[in-house]
Amino acid sequence: MNLQQRRNAKLTIRDDLNFLSTVQDFIENTALTFGLGQNEALALTLAGEEIFNYLCTSVKPMAEIEISCYEGGYYAALNFNLPIQNFALRAFNLTATINIDDDKSLDEMGLVIASRMVDHLQISQSDSGRLQLSLRKEKKYPKAAENNRTASTPLTEEFSIVTPDAEELKFFISESRHCTAPDLLPQEFCYPGKIVDMVNAGDYRAAIVRDAGGRIGGGIIWFWSSSKMVECNGPYILAEDASPAISQNLRQSMAEALLEHCLNAIAKSSAVGLLNRSPGSDLPRHHFESLGSALEFHNTTAPTEIEALFRQMQEDPGAIAWAHPDLEPFLRREYQRLTLPREIRLISDSGESPADFSVLASEFDRSRQKVTLQPLWAGNDMEKSIADHLALFANEELNNIFFVVDLGKSWQAASFPGLSKNGFTPRLLLPYGGKGDLLLLQKIGASS
Amino acid sequence: MNPIAAPLEDLVPEYIRHFEAYIPSKPDDELKKLYGCDPLYRLNNNENPLGPPAAARPIIEHFAAPGAAIYPSGDAYHLRRALGEKFSMNPDQFLVGNGANEVIAFVIKAFCQEGDNIVTADKTFAVYEWIAEFSGFSAHLTPLLDFGFDAEAMLNAIDKRTKILFICNPNNPTGTYWNREQLINFMDRVNGRQIVVIDEAYCEFVEQEDFPDAMELIRQYPNLVVFRTFSKMYALAGLRIGYLAGSLEVVDIIRRTCVVYSVNTLAQRAALKALNDDQHIIDTRNHIRKEKARLLPLLKKLGLKYQSGEGCFVMIHLPMSDTLAYRKLMARGVMIRSMTGFRFPNWIRVSIGSSQAMTAFVKALTELIEQTSQ
């Protein structure tokens, strides 16, 4: 399935609660048509209902709302798109209509309820000022069976890199789970059928190494995580370390060939960088540079440190990074360490009146107990707004809280003091991840 | 009143929507500021460090301002006559463009229509592939074989909709070349069914006896089109001028897509003078030979694999990301070409520059490698 083949349906409707049942029917029918099971379709419908209800009662855009449903192959996506004046943006703070100290009022928060029912929820604002709420509900896939490892026979020195068919892909996924530490594999690897659908949908790309005898020696998967960034999982070589099935040289050349295949596939695209967030032992590290690391907190086990390895795909033309003076030492140190040509421009307070309120967009990834905040609007209540969001997340079992600042946008730099006071620490810089470099901050401390 | 937004989704063709614009590097003064380096040696564009030929210099230095008010010759009349004389061909067998990039576009526009494709290598001068794709045609890419164009793979990639085959000879960036026998064999097997473009942007640098004279082969193969440029050996890159040559019938077709008046007066006059400055070619070849002889043993000493063939450049394989190496070398005042975009990850291409620039490059590279191995 490529982009052209993806089906979609669109409903344009006024912000009027009398249309609620029309909206419900539209979402449920399209979700079922796009292949979601009954339970998943119902969850998406309930989430959509909460959003529509919230838009009509709290946001009141006094305009038509575009509701579109997209077929993603392994998921159905639901988007609400509406024009919005800046003064009304405030309603998109998750904390807009609730009293953080009152547990009961949390249940009245439509956006939070919606976020619990779907796999991803994202609030974003386009350059033209339109606001988009994007929800995604994935199909349910059977977990991979805990099969015994297929007996490994020695691989031949000759091999080629090919695009796998569905069965080859599932074989690679299944075998890689035997040869790689679980924390180095993406969660999707527990669901081989999902990976096949992700590849068929064009969201994931995969390549495997096949030896002269037709045996699969390893593979790599990559995907676009934003319009400028590609991430890869792997390469994974299907043999335990020091296995007699494969010499160290062959192992390295297979991994190198897989990575080069991925690099060449995106070499002439708009990708500015390739990221690897879980570098395993087979990853040819000399292709990458380390951006730094973030911690991943779990409910029961100790946090794991996730290193982000990065490689630029294009020559760096240099850029401007806007920063609050308190952030300058970190940026100078990191830009120096990474040899990134940046002109740091400090924002200043010249007595101008700040906006009255801030707006934070939230992106949930419940499977990882993760939420990422990004400023949509900066005002003089930034510190409090962040604190309110943190209090809300404490009740939502979200252990991994991140904040992303786009250093290419001067107004976002003002967020830093509020972040710092709320326990956020700068973790790493992602070059050209947004309009400029993205600074990833992580909340370390009490609620994590 | 609010401005009316153009419905770009409806207006922009699919193949443009997904095409990524080429972003050239910033000017030197900006780069020096950003990377904190001075001087900055540009060893990224294969420019000739000797500068324009002596015969062309007075033309450039004394171009009179009133001349800027007058349109140039629309079809480079005098230059085409001079080219005809030099190669013993009819002046109408030449088309002059605003750099060789423009003549690539002329040929593609002349022969391709919706559904057609071109065939070229995956790791060569990127502009054939770019122009084909942003014009809505697909590019069938074949892997290089031992760093050279693979004739067999190219022939196998031809289908019913293939219109043009592009061969860069010698190849940029690998410096490999097809000799006369290989080229003739390829032309015979194509058997006139497609247009074959031989891009000879670097041919004046080649000193090998068996390098083919593609101009001469046009008589034998009317489907052969040859590209040449004044940007490389003749060092007129800043004036943007290049040309193509072919049989009268083929050039007559390409002329229909040709943008007239696109080549400025100064470029035409300088090229006319540069064309027969043979001493400039001798001097440049001597310089390239001397500097390569100095560079290659140093690369070997550093334990670096390299690919050095014909042309004014060398490709070097690094034990690190080439884009990171680009930044680190820039910080040391040397600009090279990172090769990820050519589908050669972890390779860089360095142009042979002035002796001073090459000394700076070797010093910066040595520091980089020593730092990496620590």
Side-chain angles (χ1 to χ4, degrees):
Chain A
M1 180 194 287
N2 59 34
L3 283 174
Q4 283 81 29
Q5 291 168 323
R6 289 187 189 195
R7 291 177 293 178
N8 66 79
K10 195 179 278 185
L11 175 69
T12 304
I13 203 159
R14 284 292 307 202
D15 52 333
D16 181 342
L17 266 184
N18 290 316
F19 290 125
L20 185 60
S21 61
T22 310
V23 171
Q24 288 168 325
D25 290 346
F26 168 75
I27 299 172
E28 186 167 8
N29 288 334
T30 46
L32 289 169
T33 305
F34 294 163
L36 288 195
Q38 277 291 350
N39 290 343
E40 290 73 42
L42 183 63
L44 186 65
T45 306
L46 290 173
E49 181 189 323
E50 286 293 342
I51 299 282
F52 186 71
N53 187 33
Y54 184 72
L55 294 178
C56 294
T57 54
S58 299
V59 180
K60 300 177 192 159
M62 306 292 285
E64 287 182 332
I65 300 171
E66 279 179 17
I67 305 174
S68 41
C69 202
Y70 290 91
E71 177 180 34
Y74 58 99
Y75 67 89
L78 179 63
N79 292 338
F80 289 78
N81 192 295
L82 57 150
I84 190 149
Q85 301 297 322
N86 285 332
F87 67 84
L89 272 174
R90 187 175 202 163
F92 287 94
N93 277 319
L94 291 176
T95 53
T97 58
I98 51 177
N99 177 356
I100 289 298
D101 301 324
D102 176 3
D103 284 351
K104 201 176 165 199
S105 86
L106 294 178
D107 292 335
E108 290 162 12
M109 178 57 201
L111 295 181
V112 179
I113 295 170
S115 80
R116 292 177 190 145
M117 294 171 186
V118 292
D119 297 292
H120 295 276
L121 180 144
Q122 186 179 14
I123 302 167
S124 56
Q125 190 182 21
S126 71
D127 289 339
S128 61
R130 289 183 74 86
L131 196 101
Q132 179 153 298
L133 288 118
S134 309
L135 298 86
R136 180 188 283 201
K137 186 71 188 171
E138 295 180 353
K139 287 182 188 173
K140 203 169 166 60
Y141 289 87
K143 206 164 183 177
E146 296 295 331
N147 292 337
N148 288 331
R149 172 96 217 268
T150 305
S152 55
T153 45
L155 295 157
T156 64
E157 294 287 326
E158 276 178 46
F159 63 83
S160 53
I161 307 296
V162 296
T163 303
D165 65 25
E167 289 306 318
E168 287 175 319
L169 182 56
K170 285 191 283 182
F171 177 85
F172 157 61
I173 300 292
S174 165
E175 289 294 297
S176 61
R177 295 176 63 235
H178 291 287
C179 309
T180 313
D183 58 338
L184 295 178
L185 288 171
Q187 289 186 338
E188 285 79 13
F189 272 46
C190 295
Y191 306 96
K194 182 176 172 183
I195 302 250
V196 170
D197 278 356
M198 291 169 113
V199 169
N200 286 340
D203 286 0
Y204 271 35
R205 302 290 161 91
I208 55 167
V209 55
R210 196 191 280 150
D211 81 348
R215 286 173 291 264
I216 296 171
I220 188 169
I221 280 173
W222 67 96
F223 59 96
W224 288 78
S225 54
S226 74
S227 60
K228 292 180 184 175
M229 206 57 65
V230 177
E231 293 194 29
C232 68
N233 295 126
Y236 304 111
I237 300 302
L238 301 183
E240 291 84 356
D241 286 341
S243 159
I246 185 170
S247 69
Q248 198 54 31
N249 277 349
L250 181 57
R251 185 176 198 114
Q252 279 170 6
S253 39
M254 281 180 170
E256 185 80 25
L258 283 164
L259 181 65
E260 284 206 8
H261 182 86
C262 163
L263 287 169
N264 289 341
I266 60 171
K268 289 186 192 288
S269 70
S270 57
V272 296
L274 176 69
L275 250 186
N276 189 304
R277 290 178 200 254
S278 47
S281 59
D282 287 316
L283 181 75
R285 288 182 75 102
H286 59 279
H287 282 268
F288 292 86
E289 47 193 301
S290 178
L291 292 179
S293 63
L295 294 172
E296 185 162 316
F297 292 91
H298 316 280
N299 273 343
T300 51
T301 53
T304 41
E305 188 159 0
I306 307 290
E307 185 183 19
L309 290 186
F310 174 76
R311 154 189 193 101
Q312 262 189 325
M313 294 300 297
Q314 299 166 4
E315 291 169 1
D316 197 315
I320 288 166
W322 291 95
H324 186 277
D326 293 350
L327 185 61
E328 190 187 4
F330 172 82
L331 291 184
R332 290 227 176 271
R333 197 174 60 241
E334 281 304 280
Y335 284 142
Q336 169 91 22
R337 180 179 72 81
L338 297 166
T339 327
L340 284 169
R342 298 293 182 268
E343 182 188 337
I344 298 176
R345 289 197 187 160
L346 299 181
I347 57 162
S348 61
D349 181 353
S350 303
E352 67 273 29
S353 305
D356 289 338
F357 63 90
S358 309
V359 182
L360 302 178
S362 314
E363 183 174 5
F364 290 89
D365 184 350
R366 296 259 178 196
S367 64
R368 290 179 183 270
Q369 302 174 347
K370 177 179 159 188
V371 63
T372 306
L373 293 168
Q374 198 156 15
L376 284 184
W377 192 257
N380 60 6
D381 69 341
M382 180 61 84
E383 186 183 335
K384 181 178 181 309
S385 181
I386 295 168
D388 287 350
H389 279 78
L390 291 177
L392 175 68
F393 298 149
N395 291 313
E396 291 287 315
E397 287 192 12
L398 293 162
N399 291 319
N400 298 293
I401 304 167
F402 294 93
F403 198 102
V404 174
V405 175
D406 189 336
L407 301 179
K409 296 178 178 174
S410 59
W411 62 269
Q412 292 199 10
S415 315
F416 186 69
L419 286 162
S420 187
K421 284 176 186 155
N422 278 293
F424 280 87
T425 310
R427 299 298 305 203
L428 54 90
L429 286 164
L430 182 55
Y432 298 106
K435 187 180 175 199
D437 300 333
L438 291 183
L439 171 67
L440 184 76
L441 301 105
Q442 184 169 22
K443 164 73 180 161
I444 307 284
S447 65
S448 294
Chain B
M1 195 173 77
N2 287 331
I4 299 168
L8 291 181
E9 276 195 18
D10 301 329
L11 294 174
V12 182
E14 184 73 14
Y15 54 85
I16 295 291
R17 236 177 279 167
H18 300 292
F19 194 80
E20 193 57 24
Y22 177 77
I23 299 173
S25 62
K26 289 192 168 90
D28 284 15
D29 55 334
E30 288 294 319
L31 289 171
K32 281 182 195 170
K33 234 186 330 181
L34 280 160
Y35 279 96
C37 61
D38 198 9
L40 174 62
Y41 295 105
R42 274 189 179 261
L43 298 176
N44 63 327
N45 277 337
N46 299 340
E47 292 151 349
N48 188 333
L50 272 55
R57 284 174 185 263
I59 297 288
I60 299 165
E61 284 160 7
H62 300 120
F63 183 74
I70 311 297
Y71 278 102
S73 164
D75 61 356
Y77 180 86
H78 290 299
L79 179 58
R80 288 191 302 107
R81 285 174 71 90
L83 288 166
E85 208 168 296
K86 182 176 175 74
F87 295 108
S88 304
M89 288 161 68
N90 186 323
D92 286 343
Q93 288 184 265
F94 295 91
L95 287 175
V96 180
N98 187 264
N101 287 1
E102 192 179 58
V103 301
I104 298 172
F106 294 163
V107 177
I108 289 176
K109 273 191 273 184
F111 293 103
C112 292
Q113 57 185 321
E114 195 179 348
D116 288 342
N117 63 69
I118 66 150
V119 173
T120 188
D122 60 349
K123 297 174 180 181
T124 185
F125 186 50
V127 178
Y128 323 126
E129 182 185 341
W130 278 342
I131 294 182
E133 293 196 337
F134 73 57
S135 304
F137 312 117
S138 60
H140 292 188
L141 304 177
T142 59
L144 295 183
L145 184 64
D146 294 331
F147 291 103
F149 271 70
D150 181 351
E152 206 57 43
M154 289 190 75
L155 291 165
N156 288 335
I158 295 173
D159 65 21
K160 284 180 182 167
R161 300 304 302 268
T162 302
K163 291 292 182 67
I164 312 167
L165 305 150
F166 283 95
I167 295 123
C168 190
N169 206 40
N171 186 34
N172 170 19
T174 59
T176 53
Y177 69 96
W178 281 357
N179 62 27
R180 187 180 161 81
E181 190 188 336
Q182 286 172 300
L183 180 57
I184 287 176
N185 183 39
F186 184 78
M187 292 305 297
D188 287 341
R189 291 183 67 189
V190 171
N191 198 22
R193 283 167 301 180
Q194 283 84 23
I195 297 294
V196 177
V197 171
I198 304 293
D199 184 347
E200 295 190 330
Y202 296 91
C203 70
E204 295 91 352
F205 293 92
V206 184
E207 298 187 89
Q208 306 297 332
E209 291 284 325
D210 60 349
F211 187 77
D213 182 351
M215 287 289 190
E216 195 186 283
L217 292 175
I218 290 172
R219 291 182 186 87
Q220 201 179 333
Y221 299 100
N223 61 324
L224 178 61
V225 174
V226 179
F227 289 172
R228 296 224 176 150
T229 180
F230 286 97
S231 297
K232 304 302 178 189
M233 174 57 86
Y234 295 107
L236 299 180
L239 299 181
R240 308 305 300 130
I241 182 164
Y243 61 98
L244 65 76
S247 63
L248 275 173
E249 298 81 357
V250 165
V251 173
D252 179 51
I253 299 291
I254 302 170
R255 185 176 290 112
R256 298 170 198 189
T257 68
C258 175
V259 179
V260 291
Y261 295 105
S262 70
V263 184
N264 68 68
T265 303
L266 181 57
Q268 292 186 32
R269 287 186 191 166
L272 188 60
K273 289 291 179 189
L275 194 58
N276 293 310
D277 191 336
D278 294 338
Q279 188 57 44
H280 175 76
I281 297 179
I282 294 167
D283 293 345
T284 302
R285 285 179 175 179
N286 286 342
H287 175 77
I288 302 291
R289 208 182 309 115
K290 185 186 84 185
E291 290 302 328
K292 276 190 180 177
R294 200 157 73 94
L295 174 66
L296 300 183
L298 291 167
L299 296 177
K300 207 168 173 185
K301 201 171 151 197
L302 287 172
L304 299 175
K305 186 174 150 189
Y306 59 83
Q307 168 62 25
S308 174
E310 305 305 312
C312 54
F313 46 83
V314 173
M315 266 175 62
I316 305 165
H317 188 246
L318 299 180
M320 65 192 300
S321 152
D322 52 315
T323 47
L324 173 60
Y326 170 87
R327 303 199 312 263
K328 288 185 178 270
L329 291 170
M330 281 293 288
R332 291 168 167 86
V334 181
M335 187 176 193
I336 48 79
R337 172 69 70 220
S338 70
M339 299 301 286
T340 293
F342 275 76
R343 302 191 179 97
F344 273 114
N346 291 11
W347 289 79
I348 60 169
R349 187 194 66 193
V350 61
S351 309
I352 303 298
S354 66
S355 297
Q356 193 182 12
M358 297 314 289
T359 301
F361 168 69
V362 167
K363 182 173 179 288
L365 184 69
T366 305
E367 283 170 12
L368 184 63
I369 297 302
E370 284 171 356
Q371 196 184 59
T372 309
S373 57
Q374 276 167 10

